[in-house]
Amino acid sequence: MNEEKGSFFYSLKSVFWAMLGVRANKGYDEDVKKLTPRQAIIAGLIGTAAFITTLILVVRFVISQAAG
């Protein structure tokens, strides 16, 4: 069986779908085989930073529109 390691973009995609909560068991099993813990942690940190940055930008935009 060919067990290739996942690429950086594969790890980001996996973390994105996991954050949305729509990851199937088959996909999870594939991720466990392809990703290293290091890749998952780095991708998780990047995903979390992107999520928080997006929230901050949306809140700033809404506040600026409400303020007039």
Side-chain angles (χ1 to χ4, degrees):
M1 184 176 226
N2 188 8
E3 291 190 25
E4 298 178 9
K5 291 295 175 191
S7 68
F8 176 70
F9 291 109
Y10 179 83
S11 62
L12 286 177
K13 182 184 82 165
S14 297
V15 167
F16 172 75
W17 287 116
M19 287 176 130
L20 286 178
V22 293
R23 203 73 184 137
N25 282 341
K26 180 181 175 187
Y28 174 77
D29 293 338
E30 185 178 320
D31 293 345
V32 169
K33 291 178 186 175
K34 288 188 175 184
L35 295 178
T36 64
R38 183 179 193 179
Q39 287 175 314
I41 291 170
I42 291 171
L45 291 173
I46 291 170
T48 302
F51 178 71
I52 291 171
T53 302
T54 302
L55 285 178
I56 290 171
L57 291 174
V58 167
V59 169
R60 283 186 177 182
F61 175 75
V62 169
I63 290 173
S64 69
Q65 294 299 312

